[in-house]
Amino acid sequence: MSARLENKVFIVTGGSSGIGLAVARRLTAEGAAVVIGSRRKDVGEAAAESLRAAGGTAIFVPADVTVEDDAALLVTTAIAEFGRLDGAFNNAGGVNASGPISTVDADAWNAELAQNVTSVFNCLKHQIPAVLETGGAIVNNASNMGVVALPEAAPYVAAKHAVVGLTRSVALEVADRGVRVNAITTGGVDTPLARGSMATTAEALAHIESLHPVNRIAQPEEIAPFVAFLLSDEASFITGAALAIDGGFTTR
């Protein structure tokens, strides 16, 4: 594997499992140092240790990025430990509310927005000034619900659409100052979070797979190389994009 990210430093939120961990593994394999941020200390520390055991450079910082101070802590820690910040993969998110809109209470709605879009806002607010110093890149995970919709998922869809809009607006703010900001819109991915949030019967999984023209969902390792590319200088002409990695889901 190439070392195109050698000596660069990245933050990966939601980096203790699933897509986040796969991206962190790819970044460290390409020579970068990674600061993993997530809520669960035990899982996060285990993730960072697994990266170090494989020869990578990684540290874990307990962080709930729905809290602005925690998002700021990830940035200050990266700079204190490694002297710089070259970018981030903002991947924290989850489903807090589903069902008909008339049944969604205010607390669930606010939790959905906090976890899926306020978290990205908090991260960008503190990452951008640091990344302006290095001329790096940021990738936000908007999921395919950032560009399409499903019934009975209005809070999640609204939040992920907001991530795409936030990505594009911030990209324009810094486009002429050497920083790129993009979003990925992922289809179904086989992660612990996804497994926990959907029915796992054979029939349910077959239905989810059938929504993708390739007739399957992705593995996290299929997402990671694309994120690494967007964070690298090889993607120097891509900014403000919402790029699909979805097995054809959004082509229908």
Side-chain angles (χ1 to χ4, degrees):
M1 191 175 295
S2 69
R4 60 183 170 178
L5 300 178
E6 190 170 8
N7 299 321
K8 294 194 174 185
V9 179
F10 298 100
I11 291 168
V12 178
T13 67
S16 59
S17 64
I19 297 172
L21 180 56
V23 168
R25 187 176 294 118
R26 179 71 181 223
L27 298 180
T28 56
E30 293 201 19
V34 170
V35 178
I36 292 175
S38 70
R39 293 173 174 175
R40 292 186 56 187
K41 184 176 180 181
D42 56 341
V43 178
E45 288 181 339
E49 176 56 36
S50 73
L51 297 177
R52 293 192 293 268
T57 301
I59 62 173
F60 169 70
V61 178
D64 175 355
V65 290
T66 67
V67 178
E68 184 176 346
D69 286 349
D70 282 14
L73 177 62
L74 291 172
V75 174
T76 57
T77 300
I79 294 171
E81 291 288 328
F82 302 113
R84 58 189 290 135
L85 181 65
D86 295 280
F89 178 46
N90 294 319
N91 179 62
V95 179
N96 297 279
S98 59
I101 190 68
S102 61
T103 69
V104 176
D105 65 35
D107 287 343
W109 165 260
N110 289 328
E112 197 80 53
L113 295 185
Q115 188 171 3
N116 290 292
V117 63
T118 301
S119 61
V120 179
F121 166 80
N122 288 339
C123 288
L124 289 170
K125 179 178 179 178
H126 293 277
Q127 290 163 1
I128 287 293
V131 178
L132 282 169
E133 298 293 323
T134 58
I138 296 171
V139 177
N140 302 318
N141 191 352
S143 95
N144 53 1
M145 292 300 103
V147 291
V148 296
L150 287 176
E152 301 192 358
Y156 185 76
V157 169
K160 290 302 188 178
H161 271 64
V163 170
V164 172
L166 180 61
T167 297
R168 288 173 168 160
S169 181
V170 176
L172 290 176
E173 288 183 20
V174 296
D176 62 349
R177 291 188 282 169
V179 172
R180 296 176 295 103
V181 186
N182 291 294
I184 58 170
T185 60
T186 53
V189 183
D190 190 0
T191 68
L193 180 63
R195 288 281 179 176
S197 64
M198 65 185 181
T200 54
T201 65
E203 292 81 7
L205 181 58
H207 172 67
I208 293 167
E209 290 176 336
S210 73
L211 297 175
H212 302 74
V214 296
N215 204 37
R216 66 177 180 87
I217 60 175
Q219 294 301 308
E221 292 74 20
E222 294 179 279
I223 310 301
F226 198 59
V227 176
F229 166 72
L230 289 173
L231 291 173
S232 77
D233 293 339
E234 292 179 304
S236 59
F237 202 59
I238 303 174
T239 195
L243 299 171
I245 320 171
D246 67 359
F249 187 104
T250 53
T251 62
R252 289 181 166 174

